Amino acid sequence: MLAMYRTMLLIRRTEEQLRDDFHAGRLPGGVHLYIGQEAIAAGVCAHLDDADPIASTHRGHGHYLAKGGDPEAMLAEVYARETGICKGMGGSMHVADFSRGIIGANGIVGAGLAISAGAAFAAQLDREGRVAVCFFGDGAANQGVFMEVLNVATLWKLPLLLVCEHNCYSEFSPSDTVTAGEITDRARAFNIPCSVVDGNDAVAVWQAAAAAVELARDGGGPSFIEAKTYRIYGHNESEVHWLSSEYRDETEIEPWRKQDPIERLGSFILENGVCARENLDALDIEIRARIAAAAEAAAAAPPPDPELMRDMMFSGQQP
Amino acid sequence: MAKKRLIQAINDTLFAEMERDPKVILFGEDVEISMFGDTKGLHERFGPNRIRNTPICEATLTGMAVGAAAGGYRVILHLMFSNFIYTGFDAIANQMAKLRLMTGGQIKLPITVIAGYGGGRSTAAQHSDTPYPLLMNLGGVNVAVPSTPADAAGLLKTAIRGDNPTFYLEAGGRGGERGEVPDDDFTVPFGSARVCRPGTDVTLVSVGAMMKPTLQAAGALAGQDIDAEVIDCRTLVPLDTETIIASVAKTGRIVIVDEARDRCSAASHIAAVVSDEAFTHLKAPVKRITVPNVAMPYAPNVEKTVIPNQEQIAAVTESLVNNPDK
C-alpha cells in the first residue's frame, strides 16, 4: 500500500517538475502529463517484475516510473542528454528501459497493443510465467489494432493484460464525440474477463489487476481492464502556445480534482492506520528533494554526441 | 552442390535455420499450408509453437514481430504479398525501423519479413507491387532481393542470424528457377553485390526478378559487339556502391534496371550515387529502366508493356553505347 503511494507520489512530483521545466523553457520538446492517472500505473505495476514487459503510451512517464524505471535517467532523457535512458534519442514520449521490461512508451496511439501482443507471445513460448501488459487510452481503443489484438490474444490465450485508461479525451476531442458505445463492450465480445474500475482508486485498480495478472501467469489467457479516470492537464503542455481555442472549461475539471488518486490513497492509508500523516509528509519531502536534484543533474549533463546515432540505427552496421 | 529450385532453396534454408536455433519462430497468414511453398512442411516438423498460422491482421502481425523480437526471439514474419506491407506499415515504419535508435540502442530486433513481390502474373495492382524503394527510405531496415537459389539461401541465413530487421523479398513467380546451391553452411553477406558477368563497355545493374532479362539482354548485346558487365545488387540496404562505382570507372556507362516505379526508385538512388561519385568516369548519361508511374494493370498485354524486358534493356543499352547523345 505504502509502496503504491510512494510510486504515485514519485510520478506526481516528477511530472510537476517536468511541467515547470517545460514552461520555464528548459525542455526541448513538449510533455504529455499523466497527473491524475497515477493510480492506474501504480496499481497494475505493483503486480509485475522486471521480466514482465509493459508497453506504454505517449503519456508514459507514469508507467515507466511505476515499473521501476530510474527517475534520474528519465529526466535526463526528457532534457535530451546523453545520460538519458535512451541517450537523448527518444525523449519524453518514448522512454524505455528494456532491462526493467519497459519496452517503450510510444508516440503512435495504439502501437503498444500489437507490440505487447508479440511480447506476450514470446512470454507464452518461454513458459516462465511472464505476463505482458499494454497500457493504452480510450483514443487508442478506436484504432483497428485493438480489435485485432483482442482477437489474436484470445485465440492464442496470450498472457496479456490490456489496460484501457479512459481519461475522457482523445487528444483534444472529448471521448463521446469520437467513441461509440462502451469500450469494455468491445472486449466483452471476445468473452475474456473484463472489468471496469474507478481508475482514481488505486486499491480498486490493484485488486482488478491482481486477478488478471494471476490468470495470465497461470496460462488462463488475456484480460481487459477499463480504468475510468480523467486527464487533469492538457494533451500536451505545449498546447497553450498553439491552440486557437479552449476545448474544455474549468467546471468540468474541478470535480475530478476532488477525486485526486494520491489524496484518496493517502486517506485510505491513514484511515487504516498503515502509517501516520508525518510519514507521508516525510516521504513527500524526500521525493521532492530527489526529483529537484535529478532535474539539476539532468540540466547539467552533456547533450548526446551526434556521432552516437550512427551506431544506434542498426546493430553492428552503419546506417 | 545440388541443383535446386529457388523456392526449394528457401524452404530448405528455413528448415535448417529453425533446426539450428530454437529461438527462430515463424508466423503469418496461411504459413502452414504455404501458398508459395517456401514454408511447406515446417509446421509438421516444428509444431505450432515455432510456426503458426495467424489471423489476417497485418497491422498487428508487424507489431507482434517487434514485440516477440524484443522478447528474445528471432522472428520470421511471412507477409505473403508485399502489398500487405502497406497494411502493416505502421509497425514497420514507426517501430521496427526506428525503435533501436529511439531507445538509445537498447534493443536488437532480429526480424526477417518475407514477402513475394513484383508483377507478371495478372494479379493486378494490389498483389504485384515492388515496394523496396519505400523500405530503402526508412533507414532502419535491410532489404535483400535474391535472384538465384544460392543467393536465396545465403541471404536468408544472413537475415535470420542477423540482429537487424530485414525485408527478404521473393520475386513473385520466379520460385521455379533452378540453380546450384552449395551444400556447406555458407552465407551471403549483406552489402556485397555480385558481378555476374564481366564486361568492359557498359555496366548493367539490377536486382531480383530483373536479373534474368538483364542477363539475357547482356547475352544478346554480346552478339552486337557490346560487352556488358552485369551486377546483381543482392541487397539494396546495405547497397554495395563500391562494386557499382568500380564497374562504372571501368566501363564509363551504366544502365540500371528496376521493377519499381520510376519515381524515387532503387534505380533513381543508384543513379544519384553514380552521378555523385563516378561523374568523371561517365562517357554517357546514367540510364534507368523502370516501371512507369502507374498502378500495375491486370490485362496481360498491358502489364507486359510496363515491366522491363530483355528487348527494352538491350535496345536502351545499345543506344547508350552507340549513340550516347541521342
Side-chain angles (χ1 to χ4, degrees):
Chain A
M1 194 78 66
L2 207 50
M4 229 168 20
Y5 183 86
R6 184 189 183 89
T7 297
M8 290 163 67
L9 204 56
L10 178 68
I11 298 169
R12 178 70 57 92
R13 298 300 173 233
T14 306
E15 290 223 307
E16 286 169 347
Q17 178 75 45
L18 287 171
R19 174 197 63 195
D20 296 345
D21 289 347
F22 174 78
H23 292 296
R26 282 155 58 110
L27 306 179
V31 287
H32 302 77
L33 299 180
Y34 190 65
I35 288 176
Q37 303 179 215
E38 297 92 341
I40 305 166
V44 173
C45 292
H47 302 283
L48 306 178
D49 302 324
D50 283 352
D52 297 314
I54 65 159
S56 161
T57 73
H58 54 286
R59 204 172 300 291
H61 304 151
H63 309 117
Y64 170 97
L65 293 169
K67 191 70 177 17
D70 181 48
E72 284 76 12
M74 189 183 89
L75 280 160
E77 182 63 28
V78 184
Y79 266 82
R81 303 304 193 217
E82 196 167 321
T83 50
I85 188 66
C86 301
K87 298 191 167 68
M89 297 292 158
S92 161
M93 271 197 285
H94 314 106
V95 289
D97 182 351
F98 282 75
S99 71
R100 292 195 166 90
I102 305 160
I103 64 173
N106 210 300
I108 303 298
V109 171
L113 287 158
I115 295 172
S116 62
F121 185 36
Q124 183 182 53
L125 295 177
D126 284 344
R127 295 165 185 266
E128 287 165 1
R130 297 201 310 272
V131 53
V133 177
C134 181
F135 293 98
F136 60 105
D138 47 296
N142 289 332
Q143 292 273 24
V145 287
F146 178 44
M147 195 286 290
E148 295 183 3
V149 164
L150 280 167
N151 182 55
V152 75
T154 306
L155 193 69
W156 292 5
K157 284 188 102 174
L158 295 179
L160 178 64
L161 170 56
L162 297 168
V163 181
C164 179
E165 303 188 23
H166 194 308
N167 69 8
C168 300
Y169 279 87
S170 277
E171 299 187 5
F172 309 103
S173 299
S175 295
D176 56 6
T177 67
V178 291
T179 303
E182 290 295 319
I183 292 168
T184 301
D185 287 342
R186 302 177 189 181
R188 282 200 182 105
F190 290 84
N191 217 8
I192 57 170
C194 294
S195 48
V196 181
V197 299
D198 176 350
N200 287 30
D201 180 348
V203 178
V205 174
W206 187 92
Q207 283 169 339
V213 169
E214 192 185 343
L215 183 75
R217 288 202 201 286
D218 291 346
S223 300
F224 174 87
I225 295 173
E226 181 176 347
K228 301 273 194 189
T229 184
Y230 187 80
R231 197 184 75 203
I232 297 290
Y233 280 81
H235 168 60
N236 185 306
E237 279 307 279
S238 67
E239 68 191 43
V240 291
H241 299 303
W242 38 262
L243 270 189
S244 54
S245 60
E246 302 267 324
Y247 57 94
R248 61 178 178 178
D249 61 51
E250 198 56 35
T251 57
E252 179 190 309
I253 307 171
E254 203 42 46
W256 284 97
R257 288 211 174 92
K258 297 197 172 71
Q259 296 296 320
D260 186 279
I262 297 177
E263 285 178 20
R264 284 175 67 182
L265 184 62
S267 300
F268 185 88
I269 285 171
L270 298 178
E271 280 161 22
N272 287 277
V274 179
C275 69
R277 167 60 66 188
E278 302 80 70
N279 302 104
L280 297 186
D281 292 344
L283 187 61
D284 195 16
I285 290 165
E286 174 207 320
I287 289 172
R288 281 175 191 275
R290 178 177 180 185
I291 296 309
E296 287 315 311
D305 177 353
E307 282 302 305
L308 269 180
M309 68 185 173
R310 300 191 62 79
D311 296 325
M312 286 182 196
M313 199 63 188
F314 287 102
S315 170
Q317 181 184 326
Q318 291 295 295
Chain B
M1 201 77 113
K3 209 164 183 129
K4 283 180 192 175
R5 292 179 191 280
L6 191 138
I7 208 74
Q8 189 61 47
I10 295 173
N11 185 243
D12 287 351
T13 304
L14 290 174
F15 265 98
E17 291 305 296
M18 291 185 75
E19 202 74 69
R20 180 177 177 272
D21 183 352
K23 283 287 185 185
V24 176
I25 58 171
L26 188 154
F27 57 85
E29 296 153 14
D30 287 320
V31 291
E32 292 174 17
I33 198 164
S34 188
M35 192 179 202
F36 301 154
D38 47 3
T39 58
K40 203 174 165 196
L42 293 170
H43 182 252
E44 289 77 358
R45 169 68 188 83
F46 297 103
N49 282 349
R50 303 281 308 279
I51 162 161
R52 194 178 286 199
N53 274 356
T54 65
I56 298 173
C57 52
E58 292 88 3
T60 289
L61 300 182
T62 49
M64 284 184 71
V66 172
Y73 283 84
R74 294 192 171 272
V75 179
I76 305 171
L77 169 62
H78 201 301
L79 274 184
M80 207 179 276
F81 288 97
S82 64
N83 285 72
F84 306 159
I85 285 172
Y86 306 144
T87 42
F89 205 53
D90 173 54
I92 293 169
N94 281 319
Q95 315 297 336
M96 207 182 280
K98 300 197 172 104
L99 282 188
R100 187 175 153 80
L101 180 117
M102 292 183 79
T103 59
Q106 285 182 53
I107 43 161
K108 291 174 180 167
L109 292 173
I111 301 169
T112 303
V113 182
I114 298 179
Y117 82 94
R121 289 155 298 135
S122 279
T123 49
Q126 292 163 348
H127 287 75
S128 57
D129 257 358
T130 296
Y132 47 65
L134 189 73
L135 300 167
M136 289 168 72
N137 191 252
L138 292 178
V141 300
N142 286 322
V143 180
V145 195
S147 72
T148 68
D151 284 349
L155 291 170
L156 185 55
K157 279 186 253 185
T158 302
I160 295 170
R161 295 177 194 180
D163 286 329
N164 296 300
T166 297
F167 280 75
Y168 179 88
L169 302 178
E170 298 173 355
R174 312 296 162 95
E177 281 165 25
R178 295 167 73 89
E180 295 290 346
V181 180
D183 297 321
D184 63 328
D185 183 31
F186 74 106
T187 58
V188 174
F190 285 179
S192 148
R194 182 162 50 91
V195 178
C196 317
R197 186 186 195 283
T200 52
D201 297 330
V202 60
T203 301
L204 301 183
V205 174
S206 191
V207 74
M210 288 295 101
M211 287 311 301
K212 189 176 177 180
T214 302
L215 282 163
Q216 286 169 337
L221 288 164
Q224 298 169 258
D225 280 338
I226 294 173
D227 187 16
E229 178 149 300
V230 179
I231 295 174
D232 181 350
C233 295
R234 303 204 284 193
T235 58
L236 293 168
V237 180
L239 179 66
D240 180 2
T241 53
E242 229 170 85
T243 297
I244 297 170
I245 300 294
S247 177
V248 173
K250 183 169 67 172
T251 64
R253 301 176 185 91
I254 182 168
V255 177
I256 310 144
V257 186
D258 183 353
E259 200 179 336
R261 273 182 285 277
D262 185 66
R263 199 178 294 128
C264 299
S265 57
S268 327
H269 174 66
I270 294 168
V273 172
V274 169
S275 305
D276 261 358
E277 297 180 24
F279 185 74
T280 54
H281 298 293
L282 288 169
K283 300 171 191 161
V286 176
K287 280 285 170 198
R288 305 187 305 276
I289 301 176
T290 51
V291 167
N293 296 311
V294 297
M296 193 65 81
Y298 165 68
N301 66 311
V302 189
E303 187 182 32
K304 210 173 155 191
T305 66
V306 305
I307 300 175
N309 58 51
Q310 176 195 333
E311 292 73 28
Q312 185 190 7
I313 299 164
V316 169
T317 307
E318 191 275 332
S319 173
L320 185 76
V321 174
N322 293 330
N323 310 291
D325 302 327
K326 232 174 86 178

